[in-house]
Amino acid sequence: MKADKRRQEILSLLGNTDNPIPANVLKERLGISRQVIVQDIAILRANGYDIISTNRGYVLNSKAKASRVFKCRHNFEELVEEGALILDGGGRIEDIFVNHRIYGRISARLGLYNKTHVEELYRSLVSGASKPLMSVTDGYHYHTVTADSESALDEIEQKLRLRGFLIEI
């Protein structure tokens, strides 16, 4: 398969799902090495495609039409509930960041697009391998949330406000 056709196939695969696709899956599907996948992704990015690398694979970030940052506060046990409110409203949780008084902005790409992703994150944090980023700011944190429309983001904002998770900025 020629390089241009292979890259179009990668875009097609990424564009037809909301779930991250691991490099190994792309490798097997296209019959090429993992290194070629990494190079193709770099070339696609250089050509203007917003492809995000998450810990679960690659995601094409062109589906969402609207984006908003929400400042939230809750305890660790409410992490799954916050995620469910956002996802049930049609949102996708792109990242988390905090503003630390000494270190400044600390951020992490999340790429949470369904409840399973949120539950996996929660389980990995419960295991004790790492602490949630919000723990360094007493539960205060920000999420960049994307959705297909501003009205979906308005609904998510209202749900977070009613639940008491939203902090007005």
Side-chain angles (χ1 to χ4, degrees), residues 56-150:
R56 288 179 300 284
Y58 296 109
V59 176
L60 183 59
N61 191 29
S62 63
K63 294 178 182 171
K65 297 178 181 138
S67 177
R68 194 173 299 171
V69 173
F70 295 113
K71 182 177 183 181
C72 298
R73 183 172 190 232
H74 55 77
N75 63 39
F76 176 69
E77 291 74 27
E78 295 168 324
L79 185 146
V80 173
E81 183 182 354
E82 174 199 49
L85 287 173
I86 293 169
L87 296 168
D88 288 346
R92 295 177 283 283
I93 306 168
E94 303 296 342
D95 65 9
I96 183 171
F97 62 95
V98 297
N99 290 321
H100 193 276
R101 291 179 191 220
I102 296 171
Y103 301 120
R105 182 177 170 156
I106 304 169
S107 65
R109 169 109 13 229
L110 292 176
L112 304 175
Y113 303 128
N114 61 48
K115 289 182 184 179
T116 303
H117 295 161
V118 174
E119 290 164 1
E120 287 172 0
L121 173 66
Y122 180 77
R123 279 194 301 274
S124 68
L125 291 170
V126 165
S127 76
S130 293
K131 293 191 183 259
L133 193 52
M134 66 185 197
S135 68
V136 300
T137 54
D138 195 31
Y140 290 97
H141 59 284
Y142 298 83
H143 287 297
T144 304
V145 176
T146 58
D148 292 333
S149 67
E150 288 293 329

